[in-house]
């Protein structure tokens, strides 16, 4: 699957993040390759969100470094991260439900006839691009003027992913994309992720709680617990119970059963 | 999974929109319905009792003067409703609009009346510490554009300040601009009282009067710049002098028009006198018929049939009349004052009088000279706002700032800038409103603009602006202003009811619109 497995598209080296006396991340190293889905798993409070926020430029790490295509980068703002090719699709998707698909697709980066906030929008071109980009990863929308609020959760997810890719994301961070969806729409999102994976030039970091989804779609796994990596490997390396055990923070299923036996 | 459900896609669940579906899904459709209803009501009820006509323009509501006055109220409200409405779309409120109108009007009027001075106080220690003043600038004779620009400096700064406080502190704009409401109104009253202070008074009045009629200052050869009314009141021989200087074609044209007017006035007089003369006979006829005196009745009928009076002879056109008519046609020497406070479309209204014979009052004179200039200003503003809101990047930013602030921020929209700019725009609209008022009536009053902020918000809500932001159109705002302006007139003409019922009506419309808007919003958000 991995097109150029030798060189990671994005790599973190020994990331440490401290909030005062609290250590959120304690030396996390991660390698993500293009054309791969890298599942980031862990219990609540394992440090997944902190890692994501560092990668997307919300705050800088206390120590350690991030390298994109081998070059060390540092982000002062989310905008820097976007420019460096890291697109983050948050759980709330950053969409305005009251306006149209196209207006959301180009939100903040509208195509205008001349460069000014008062430049007229190139509505026709924007409609076309939005439809085309969404079709590329699998959803045909009938009307680009459709309000986002009337779309299904899966369609919204696709819109947000298509938007991130169109605006230059080489690394796509998906923050629990299936958590708030019904069964059928979860599958739709997984299909979308699969199509992005097949594009071959994009690395996907998938944060999820759902072991089944991770196993269905991920090529590589990293398990976090209490701010540290407690296990990693490709889908072939990890068999059956390993995933379940590592997701629970390293506990054996037998231990858990014992814990429950009051 | 390989079953019939596969061939059915998510997109199939969204029905194709029908033509009428598209129209009825537009948020303005309800308000437009109410507006048409009010149009009909005003047209129908303003037709004088006893007469019947399907033509809504036959009544007082939509005769030339009615249109002129109604459109003035509607456009003035539109101007401030645009400022208020766009701000609500971005998710904020401005309650200081009304006070801003009072402040801007007073500021403009004071500058026009007394000039503009910057005085800096400082503490002087020469002969004991005391405060002295140094005058940096004093301009005594300021042009209208100067007065407007100086006023804009103050009002736009205040708008910026309110916006700045709101976005930096995160306080609700309701409370910040409520502060602005009291602050500005108080400041206006205090300044007017202190400037109006006369030696024999402890405190002055809260009005500014005695401003010249700036928009009607005209350039008359031989007299320089002079107010139109003053020029028309010149002695007879001076007017004849003005007449002598006119080219022959102008004289011929004006004479023809005056002849027409005088003839119309004479005809109207004849009609009035005839109806007055016939009335006693008709009353006598009624009495005769009632008492059964058929012979008498017949005699009176004959008299009515043959009744005629000598037609009134039209006044002849004198040279001074032509000169006065000419002075009426001279364009203002103060185009800026005229732009805000003058009239527009005079040639069209002249045509309606001279050629169409519609713009005529009961005495045969021309009814309305034109429309108030604020109609044009409101149109320009509305058009500009419509383009910005629906067709530009700024418009998308405004919608997203109000629709989902976090999403807009995450996508790099400068939401704070958007909000501050709209606070400034709201102050700008209030200033434009004030300019229209000051240059039209040539006075200012600290009480001007009272409650206008609430009217503006009400018009916006009636027009389909959702109070929580992110949704609404400029067309809707203008329709809301129409509803507000028409309701008062329409209810005034309904026979047998108190005119104040229009407030009852508006109260209901506001709540109904808000419910409707919320329903549309929820439908789009997918929560119902």
């Amino acid at each position: 699957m991995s097109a150029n497995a030798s060189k990671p598209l994005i790599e973190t080296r020994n990331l440490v993040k401290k909030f005062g006396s609290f250590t959120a991340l304690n030396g996390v190293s991660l390698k993500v390759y293009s054309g791969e889905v890298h599942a980031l798993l862990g219990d609540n409070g394992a440090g997944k969100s902190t890692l994501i926020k560092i990668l997307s430029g919300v705050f800088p790490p206390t120590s350690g470094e991030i390298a994109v295509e081998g070059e060390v980068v540092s982000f002062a703002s989310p905008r820097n991260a976007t420019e460096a090719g890291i697109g983050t699709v948050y759980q709330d998707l950053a969409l305005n439900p009251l306006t149209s698909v196209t207006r959301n697709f180009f939100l903040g980066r509208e195509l205008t006839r001349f460069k000014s906030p008062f430049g007229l929008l190139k509505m026709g071109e924007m409609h076309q691009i939005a439809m085309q980009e969404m079709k590329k990863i699998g959803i045909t929308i009938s009307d680009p003027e459709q309000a986002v609020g009337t779309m299904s959760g899966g369609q919204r997810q696709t819109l947000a992913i298509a938007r991130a890719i169109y605006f230059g994301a080489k690394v796509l961070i998906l923050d629990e994309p299936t958590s708030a969806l019904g069964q059928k729409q979860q599958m739709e999102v997984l299909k979308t992720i699969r199509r992005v994976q097949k594009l071959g030039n994009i690395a996907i970091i998938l944060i999820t709680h759902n072991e089944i989804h991770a196993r269905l779609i991920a090529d590589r796994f990293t398990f976090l617990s209490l701010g540290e990596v407690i296990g990693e490997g490709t889908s072939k390396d990890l068999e059956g119970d390993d995933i379940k055990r590592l997701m629970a923070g390293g506990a054996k299923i037998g231990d858990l059963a014992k814990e429950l036996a009051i | 999974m390989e079953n019939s459900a596969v061939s059915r896609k998510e997109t199939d669940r969204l029905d194709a929109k029908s033509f009428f579906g598209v129209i009825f899904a537009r948020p303005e459709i309800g308000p437009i319905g109410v507006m048409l209803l009010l149009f009909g009501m005003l047209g129908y009820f303003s037709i004088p009792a006893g007469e019947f006509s399907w033509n809504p323009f036959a009544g007082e509501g939509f005769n030339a003067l009615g249109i002129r006055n109604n459109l003035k109220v509607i456009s003035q409200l539109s101007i401030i409703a645009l400022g208020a409405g766009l701000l609500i779309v971005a998710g904020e409120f401005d309650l200081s609009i009304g006070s801003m109108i009072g402040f801007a009007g007073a500021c403009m009027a004071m500058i026009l009346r007394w000039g503009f001075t910057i005085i800096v106080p400082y503490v002087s220690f020469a002969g004991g510490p005391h405060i002295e003043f140094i005058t940096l600038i004093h301009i005594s004779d300021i042009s209208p554009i100067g007065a407007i620009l100086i006023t804009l400096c103050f009002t736009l700064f205040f708008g910026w300040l309110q916006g700045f406080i709101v976005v930096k502190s995160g306080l609700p704009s309701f409370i910040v601009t409520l502060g602005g409401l009291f602050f500005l109104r108080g400041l206006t009253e205090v300044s007017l009282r202190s400037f109006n202070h006369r030696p024999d008074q402890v405190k002055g009045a809260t009005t500014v009067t005695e401003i010249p009629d700036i928009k009607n200052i005209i350039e008359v050869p031989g007299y320089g710049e002079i107010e139109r009314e003053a020029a028309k009141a010149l002695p007879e021989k001076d007017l004849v002098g003005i007449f002598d200087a006119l080219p022959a074609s102008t004289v011929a044209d004006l004479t023809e028009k005056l002849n027409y007017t005088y003839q119309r006035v004479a005809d109207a007089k004849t009609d009035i006198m005839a109806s007055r003369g016939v009335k006693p006979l008709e009353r006598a006829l009624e009495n005769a018929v009632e008492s059964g005196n058929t012979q008498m009745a017949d005699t009176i009928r004959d008299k009515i049939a043959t009744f005629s009076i000598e037609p009134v002879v039209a006044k002849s056109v004198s040279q001074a009349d032509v000169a006065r008519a000419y002075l009426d046609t001279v364009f203002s020497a103060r185009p800026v004052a005229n732009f805000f406070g003058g009239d527009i479309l005079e040639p069209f209204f002249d045509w309606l009088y001279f050629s169409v014979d519609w713009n005529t009052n009961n005495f045969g004179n021309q009814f309305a000279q034109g429309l108030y200039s604020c109609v044009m200003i409101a149109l320009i503003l509305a058009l500009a706002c419509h383009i910005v809101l629906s067709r530009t990047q700024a418009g998308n930013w405004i919608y997203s700032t109000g629709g989902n602030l976090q999403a807009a921020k995450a996508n790099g929209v400068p939401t704070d800038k958007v909000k501050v700019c709209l606070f400034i725009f709201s102050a700008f609209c209030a200033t434009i409103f004030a300019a229209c008022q000051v240059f039209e009536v040539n006075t200012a009053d600290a009480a001007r603009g009272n409650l206008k902020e609430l009217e503006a918000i009400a018009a916006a809500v009636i027009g389909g602006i959702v109070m929580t932001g992110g949704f609404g159109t400029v067309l809707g705002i203008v329709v809301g202003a129409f509803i507000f302006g028409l309701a008062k007139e329409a209810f005034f003409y309904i026979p047998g009811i108190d005119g104040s019922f229009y407030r009852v009506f508006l109260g209901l419309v506001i709540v109904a619109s808000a419910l409707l808007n919320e329903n549309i919003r929820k439908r789009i958000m997918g929560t119902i």
Side-chain angles (χ1 to χ4, degrees):
Chain A
M1 271 274 192
S2 47
N4 47 352
S6 54
K7 195 176 153 220
L9 188 53
I10 185 166
E11 189 182 358
T12 70
R13 296 170 194 145
N14 250 330
L15 281 185
V16 175
K17 180 70 190 177
K18 289 186 184 217
F19 295 104
S21 59
F22 176 74
T23 307
L25 287 183
N26 192 15
V28 171
S29 298
L30 194 70
K31 283 178 184 168
V32 188
Y33 299 90
S34 62
E36 278 195 4
V37 175
H38 193 124
L40 198 57
L41 299 142
D43 211 355
N44 285 340
K48 289 174 300 182
S49 306
T50 312
L51 180 59
I52 294 317
K53 281 182 178 156
I54 291 171
L55 285 176
S56 56
V58 176
F59 42 64
T62 311
S63 69
E65 55 191 23
I66 305 168
V68 177
E69 291 179 315
E71 264 179 61
V72 175
V73 289
S74 67
F75 306 136
S77 73
R79 188 153 269 225
N80 286 159
T82 315
E83 280 160 9
I86 298 173
T88 311
V89 177
Y90 289 106
Q91 252 173 313
D92 64 4
L93 303 176
L95 296 172
N96 176 8
L98 290 167
T99 52
S100 71
V101 172
T102 305
R103 280 175 180 272
N104 270 286
F105 193 93
F106 285 93
L107 183 54
R109 288 163 291 224
E110 294 85 351
L111 305 181
T112 54
R113 268 179 225 289
F114 50 94
K115 211 176 152 34
S116 147
F118 296 106
L120 291 181
L121 296 172
K122 294 182 188 163
M123 224 37 184
E125 196 179 323
M126 281 160 58
H127 282 326
Q128 212 182 351
I129 293 172
M131 301 256 281
Q132 194 183 313
E133 291 300 311
M134 286 183 71
K135 200 175 175 181
K136 263 189 207 166
I137 54 169
I139 286 197
T140 315
I141 42 167
S142 49
D143 179 11
E145 298 265 21
Q146 184 185 349
V148 165
T150 62
M151 292 166 78
S152 73
Q155 285 177 319
R156 291 187 211 192
Q157 195 69 243
T158 309
L159 169 56
I161 294 171
R163 176 171 69 180
I165 294 172
Y166 179 73
F167 288 105
K170 289 175 283 185
V171 181
L172 199 59
I173 302 174
L174 304 178
D175 187 8
E176 309 230 2
T178 56
S179 65
L181 301 177
Q183 195 70 34
K184 204 176 156 211
Q185 293 184 353
Q186 290 181 353
M187 280 314 291
E188 216 173 285
V189 172
L190 292 180
K191 278 192 221 162
T192 302
I193 296 172
R194 176 71 82 202
R195 285 195 198 92
V196 178
Q197 188 185 21
K198 285 218 172 112
L199 292 176
N201 53 354
I202 289 164
I204 300 165
I205 300 175
L206 174 71
I207 294 112
T208 182
H209 267 113
N210 192 321
E211 172 219 343
I212 300 170
H213 289 167
R215 216 185 294 189
L216 277 170
I217 200 123
D219 305 298
R220 212 175 275 271
F221 298 82
T222 295
F223 298 91
L224 288 181
S225 180
L226 303 175
E228 289 178 8
V229 176
I230 56 162
E232 56 191 330
T234 63
S235 49
K236 285 187 200 106
D237 301 341
L238 300 162
E239 290 296 331
D241 272 0
D242 272 356
I243 291 178
K244 206 172 268 171
R245 180 177 59 82
L246 288 164
M247 268 196 77
K252 288 204 171 76
I253 194 85
D255 297 341
L256 295 176
K258 226 181 264 175
E259 204 175 315
L260 281 172
I262 312 165
Chain B
M1 247 185 98
E2 296 300 318
N3 55 31
S4 66
V6 174
S7 61
R8 209 174 129 74
K9 292 194 191 83
E10 187 64 37
T11 48
D12 296 334
R13 297 179 65 183
L14 190 72
D15 290 338
K17 289 176 186 166
S18 71
F19 176 71
F20 288 107
V22 172
I23 290 180
F24 285 108
R26 288 201 60 95
E28 304 96 343
I29 193 72
I32 287 177
V34 177
M35 183 177 78
L36 293 178
L37 174 76
L38 285 170
F39 266 124
M41 277 169 63
L42 179 51
Y44 175 75
F45 286 117
S46 66
I47 290 167
E51 291 175 32
F52 178 80
S53 165
W54 281 111
N55 175 10
F57 294 99
E60 284 173 36
F62 294 113
N63 62 23
L65 199 63
I67 289 177
R68 173 177 158 93
N69 290 333
N70 287 335
L71 277 184
K72 174 186 153 188
V73 174
I74 291 163
S75 344
Q76 288 191 338
L77 184 57
S78 295
I79 290 172
I80 48 171
L82 285 169
L86 257 51
L87 192 57
I88 297 176
V89 173
E92 300 291 348
F93 266 114
D94 189 355
L95 290 180
S96 70
I97 294 173
S99 299
M100 187 70 87
I101 291 170
F103 173 78
C107 189
M108 233 174 272
M110 285 193 284
I111 292 171
L112 289 169
R113 175 105 159 77
W114 293 300
F116 181 66
T117 310
I118 299 177
I119 296 170
V120 182
Y122 65 98
V123 181
S124 164
F125 292 100
H130 63 287
I131 294 174
E132 287 205 1
F133 299 93
I134 181 165
T135 304
L136 279 188
I137 309 173
H138 177 76
I139 316 168
S140 56
D141 191 21
I142 289 191
S143 65
I145 183 80
I148 292 172
L149 289 179
I150 293 170
T151 306
L152 277 175
C153 290
F154 292 124
T155 55
L156 298 193
F157 169 75
F158 198 82
W160 171 83
L161 185 66
Q162 290 191 129
F164 183 77
I165 293 172
V166 167
V167 299
K168 287 297 165 199
S169 68
L171 283 173
S173 49
F174 180 89
I175 208 73
V176 174
T177 57
L178 185 64
L181 181 152
F182 286 109
F183 179 88
L184 281 176
R185 186 69 73 193
L187 190 67
T188 312
E189 286 173 359
V190 168
S191 345
L192 280 177
R193 284 220 184 87
S194 51
F195 275 92
N196 268 332
H197 177 86
R198 299 236 171 82
D200 57 335
Q201 285 174 312
V202 181
K203 276 176 182 163
T206 56
T207 55
V208 181
T209 51
E210 295 169 45
I211 302 170
D213 191 8
I214 302 169
K215 64 177 177 296
N216 275 323
I217 291 176
I218 53 172
E219 177 86 37
V220 182
Y223 298 88
E225 286 185 343
I226 182 168
E227 273 183 48
R228 205 187 298 274
E229 288 309 312
K232 281 161 79 178
L234 283 171
E236 190 86 10
K237 68 170 178 18
D238 292 340
L239 288 171
V240 172
I242 293 171
F243 171 84
D244 288 338
L246 291 178
S249 60
T250 312
V251 171
D253 184 42
L254 289 171
T255 312
E256 190 194 333
K257 282 184 172 168
L258 281 171
N259 273 327
Y260 174 84
T261 305
Y262 289 165
Q263 188 56 51
R264 293 302 311 268
V265 171
D267 290 349
K269 263 187 198 157
T270 312
D271 283 348
I272 292 168
M273 282 169 69
S275 78
R276 270 196 205 140
V278 167
K279 255 192 195 125
L281 289 175
E282 285 175 340
R283 229 172 288 136
L285 175 64
E286 259 172 51
N287 288 338
V289 171
E290 249 172 57
S291 60
N293 191 342
T294 48
Q295 201 184 347
M296 186 65 162
D298 286 341
T299 323
I300 297 172
R301 272 197 199 100
D302 279 348
K303 268 197 178 167
I304 290 176
T306 56
F307 180 86
S308 73
I309 60 160
E310 200 68 7
V312 178
V313 180
K315 221 170 99 181
S316 66
V317 178
S318 73
Q319 291 182 335
D321 288 343
V322 176
R324 280 192 208 100
Y326 163 72
L327 290 171
D328 269 333
T329 65
V330 177
F331 191 74
S332 172
R334 296 278 185 280
V336 173
N338 197 48
F339 177 83
F340 286 102
D343 286 350
I344 54 164
L345 289 182
E346 289 112 322
F348 178 67
F349 276 74
D350 282 350
W351 176 76
L352 284 178
Y353 175 63
F354 291 111
S355 304
V356 181
D357 185 25
W358 177 68
N359 181 13
T360 315
N361 67 12
N362 290 339
F363 303 103
N365 285 307
Q366 186 169 346
F367 219 159
Q369 303 304 319
L371 292 178
Y372 287 98
S373 185
C374 58
V375 177
M376 173 180 62
I377 293 172
L379 267 178
I380 295 172
L381 260 181
L383 199 67
C385 287
H386 172 74
I387 291 172
V388 167
L389 192 60
S390 68
R391 302 234 188 287
T392 69
Q393 185 174 37
N396 204 22
W397 290 357
I398 293 172
Y399 276 128
S400 59
T401 301
N404 186 346
L405 187 67
Q406 293 314 318
K409 275 187 182 155
N411 284 297
V413 174
T415 54
D416 285 358
K417 244 187 223 171
V418 169
K419 285 186 179 178
V420 172
C421 285
L422 286 172
F423 272 105
I424 295 175
F425 180 65
S426 167
F428 173 79
C429 290
T431 313
I432 295 298
F433 182 105
C436 290
Q437 246 182 4
V438 167
F439 287 107
E440 185 209 326
V441 299
N442 304 312
T443 60
D445 189 322
R448 285 268 164 75
N450 201 11
L451 288 181
K452 284 287 174 202
E453 63 282 335
L454 297 183
E455 287 185 16
I457 292 170
V461 170
I462 292 172
I465 304 285
V466 174
M467 290 304 271
T468 43
F471 198 70
T473 62
V474 168
L475 176 64
I477 297 174
V478 174
V479 171
F482 260 91
I483 291 178
F484 217 100
L486 286 174
K488 190 174 181 178
E489 285 296 305
F491 276 79
F492 174 77
Y493 282 112
I494 298 176
I497 74 160
D498 191 312
S500 280
F501 265 111
Y502 90 92
R503 286 191 207 271
V504 177
F505 172 79
L506 279 177
L508 294 174
V509 170
I510 289 168
V511 176
S513 312
L515 285 172
L516 184 76
N517 297 346
E518 188 58 17
N519 185 287
I520 293 174
R521 189 182 74 91
K522 278 187 181 151
R523 205 180 309 157
I524 290 173
M525 298 280 275
T527 43
I528 54 170

